[in-house]
Amino acid sequence: MEIIWRDSPTYEEARISRVFNHRRPARYPLAVVNATSVSDILQAVQLAKEKGCRVAVRSGGHSWAAWSVRDESILIDLGKYKLLDVDPVEKVARASPSMTGREVNRVLTKEFGLMFPGGHCPDVGIGGFLLQGGMGWNCRGWGWACERVRAVDVVTADGDLVHCNKDQNADLYWAARGAGPGFPGIVTQFHLDLIPYPERGFRGSGYSYPISKYHEAFNWILSITPTYDQDTEIAVVAHYPEGHDEIRLFILLVTMKHTPEDAENALRPAHASHPPGALEEWFCQEDSLANQYINQAKANPEGHRYCAENAFIENDADVAAVLEEAFTTLPHRKAFSLWYAMNPCSRRALPDMALSVQSDHYLALYTVWDDARDDERCQAWVRSVMSRVERRSVGSYLGDSDFQVRQTRFWAEENGKRLMGVRRKWDPTGRICGYLDEGDQSGVDGLANVQTWL
């Protein structure tokens, strides 16, 4: 087990080198443990017990708020702990938390003709992604990625290794699907249900409009989404295209069918009904998961500063009006706003799990810049937008949130209470760092699960 103490010359690199957001935190763990096995994780928890300090965990390092970097903790970095074991007959896999969606799917698609609907950004580790619920590929039609977690193996706050599923340590299994960084243990393996990879029918259509067509184009896609083909992912993005000085509204439909004919049939209704005036458009273009990862990496470049925020918008809201500021006033050329369609997933009863807040409409602000002098301006824009949007929201998604900045609702009321009870049961002393709120004060109490403006 490699332990890098605070006085080590490699400490600073170990502390933040795998933190994706270059708006780096001024928080300092006691030591960083580079784990390569379950045994290393067990030893690291014992080390924390001996030192009387907390444990923090890093899977992919993609948390916008750098939740893994905590003062006076033992940071267990899982970046060198890589495991992927696939049973193609049963269509299941075992994977370690630091495996990214791209790493998992590179093997699954090429070697087995299978896939897992992991995170859209290629370098997001499945650990944090799945604990938060997992708004993965085609979530609107295929459901939350955590619904495909059939079991987890966990090192508890006491340093025991336990297996958790619906029948065994069921409360930990329940919490693992939606607790986020407040999960009271360290997942060492996820047991995942896989799906066939739709290689031949992976196609997309895109429509890029001037921002002056915002209301017409946005209201069009809102009108067709509820009854649209359920194998089709639908998103609207406001961004500055490369080489252009004006914001554009880009509407993307990606369908994941098993034949080209089915893909064309799925995409044709949108093509036949889309408003005129698109500056650029394409219909049923051949695509792939690998290509989508390339596009996502371009939109989320490494070595940049980020401020992310999000909200689930009320189903009966005038969505285009509520999101107008978010989509027409971007503070930086690299920033973008995203609306992601969640219907029909949002209209069905969820399985019994911690994850319990959703709506038809997901808004995310991904504010991206590269100069520290823009910090206050970019963050002020996020605060301004969210101060209005949150009044028409039902809550937020853990993955694009920062508890240090804004208090909001992540779980249904009873789920939130139950989750905090599970946390107290399995980690009564708060050894696992948990939710990083302002001042890192949440401890064993966890989050209040209420919206600030209320």
Side-chain angles (χ1 to χ4, degrees):
M1 180 177 68
E2 181 187 16
I3 306 173
I4 302 171
W5 297 99
R6 200 151 48 196
D7 59 358
S8 167
T10 60
Y11 171 81
E12 188 62 8
E13 179 183 2
R15 182 181 78 93
I16 60 171
S17 65
R18 289 211 316 118
V19 173
F20 184 81
N21 189 350
H22 273 233
R23 192 159 56 87
R24 298 297 176 62
R27 300 188 296 272
Y28 298 90
L30 179 66
V32 179
V33 172
N34 285 320
T36 61
S37 65
V38 175
S39 176
D40 285 351
I41 298 170
L42 289 164
Q43 290 182 64
V45 173
Q46 290 300 324
L47 176 65
K49 291 174 69 174
E50 293 168 9
K51 296 292 182 181
C53 67
R54 298 181 301 167
V55 169
V57 186
R58 179 184 294 151
S59 294
H62 211 287
S63 159
W64 307 115
W67 291 329
S68 63
V69 184
R70 309 293 278 273
D71 284 327
E72 303 304 319
S73 67
I74 299 295
L75 167 53
I76 303 177
D77 193 315
L78 303 178
K80 296 180 180 179
Y81 170 48
K82 297 286 188 179
L83 168 73
L84 179 63
D85 182 55
V86 182
D87 182 339
V89 176
E90 295 296 324
K91 294 186 176 62
V92 296
R94 294 183 299 115
S96 56
S98 69
M99 292 292 293
T100 68
R102 178 164 54 185
E103 289 173 335
V104 169
N105 278 317
R106 183 182 290 135
V107 173
L108 293 179
T109 58
K110 290 184 177 181
E111 297 186 20
F112 303 105
L114 299 168
M115 70 172 285
F116 182 75
H120 289 72
C121 294
D123 47 7
V124 170
I126 65 170
F129 170 77
L130 288 171
L131 286 175
Q132 290 152 188
M135 192 181 294
W137 296 104
N138 192 32
C139 189
R140 70 173 285 263
W142 297 347
W144 293 88
C146 69
E147 296 180 60
R148 300 181 188 276
V149 175
R150 60 165 56 183
V152 288
D153 295 318
V154 175
V155 173
T156 68
D158 278 340
D160 299 317
L161 180 62
V162 297
H163 184 72
C164 313
N165 56 29
K166 63 182 179 61
D167 301 313
Q168 188 176 353
N169 299 306
D171 53 352
L172 272 184
Y173 173 63
W174 178 89
R177 299 188 298 167
F183 182 70
I186 304 165
V187 177
T188 65
Q189 283 189 119
F190 291 92
H191 299 250
L192 307 173
D193 288 324
L194 311 176
I195 60 176
Y197 175 54
E199 181 175 11
R200 294 180 61 235
F202 203 120
R203 305 291 173 100
S205 293
Y207 307 93
S208 182
Y209 289 94
I211 203 63
S212 60
K213 303 274 286 184
Y214 168 78
H215 281 281
E216 181 182 1
F218 209 142
N219 282 317
W220 161 69
I221 199 67
L222 287 167
S223 71
I224 69 171
T225 293
T227 58
Y228 211 80
D229 174 82
Q230 294 187 21
D231 293 323
T232 302
E233 182 173 287
I234 303 173
V236 180
V237 177
H239 70 132
Y240 283 97
E242 189 174 352
H244 295 274
D245 295 327
E246 294 185 353
I247 298 172
R248 288 191 185 175
L249 192 76
F250 178 55
I251 299 174
L252 178 66
L253 298 93
V254 177
T255 196
M256 303 174 205
K257 296 288 190 181
H258 290 283
T259 69
E261 296 77 18
D262 286 344
E264 183 171 340
N265 289 336
L267 293 171
R268 188 165 297 283
H271 194 67
S273 63
H274 74 283
L279 299 172
E280 184 181 2
E281 64 180 71
W282 61 86
F283 170 65
C284 203
Q285 189 175 86
E286 287 190 33
D287 207 343
S288 66
L289 206 52
N291 186 59
Q292 282 291 314
Y293 283 135
I294 292 171
N295 293 338
Q296 292 286 339
K298 289 178 180 177
N300 298 274
E302 295 183 357
H304 283 67
R305 306 171 79 81
Y306 287 81
C307 179
E309 255 290 7
N310 76 98
F312 288 110
I313 308 303
E314 295 170 340
N315 289 347
D316 61 355
D318 182 343
V319 176
V322 171
L323 303 188
E324 185 169 4
E325 182 183 4
F327 277 74
T328 61
T329 66
L330 298 175
H332 195 281
R333 292 183 61 87
K334 295 181 180 181
F336 63 101
S337 296
L338 167 74
W339 171 83
Y340 189 52
M342 297 296 292
N343 187 329
C345 174
S346 55
R347 294 298 181 107
R348 63 176 174 80
L350 289 169
D352 185 24
M353 57 186 183
L355 176 73
S356 45
V357 169
Q358 58 179 352
S359 77
D360 294 349
H361 312 286
Y362 180 69
L363 163 72
L365 308 179
Y366 299 110
T367 312
V368 189
W369 66 100
D370 46 17
D371 190 333
R373 290 174 295 184
D374 286 329
D375 281 8
E376 177 53 35
R377 180 175 61 83
C378 289
Q379 291 175 81
W381 177 81
V382 173
R383 290 193 297 269
S384 173
V385 170
M386 294 308 300
S387 68
R388 297 170 178 82
V389 166
E390 67 180 358
R391 286 166 170 75
R392 296 310 308 269
S393 76
V394 299
S396 300
Y397 173 56
L398 283 159
D400 291 330
S401 299
D402 186 346
F403 322 129
Q404 303 164 98
V405 176
R406 188 170 73 98
Q407 183 171 276
T408 187
R409 180 173 176 262
F410 297 107
W411 308 279
E413 184 176 357
E414 289 306 313
N415 290 58
K417 292 177 181 177
R418 179 179 172 187
L419 175 59
M420 301 312 149
V422 172
R423 295 180 72 252
R424 286 189 291 270
K425 171 188 170 183
W426 284 92
D427 186 15
T429 64
R431 178 162 289 117
I432 308 297
C433 280
Y435 301 107
L436 177 61
D437 61 348
E438 185 177 8
D440 199 359
Q441 298 297 308
S442 69
V444 295
D445 291 333
L447 296 178
N449 196 37
V450 296
Q451 307 214 62
T452 302
W453 66 273
L454 290 171

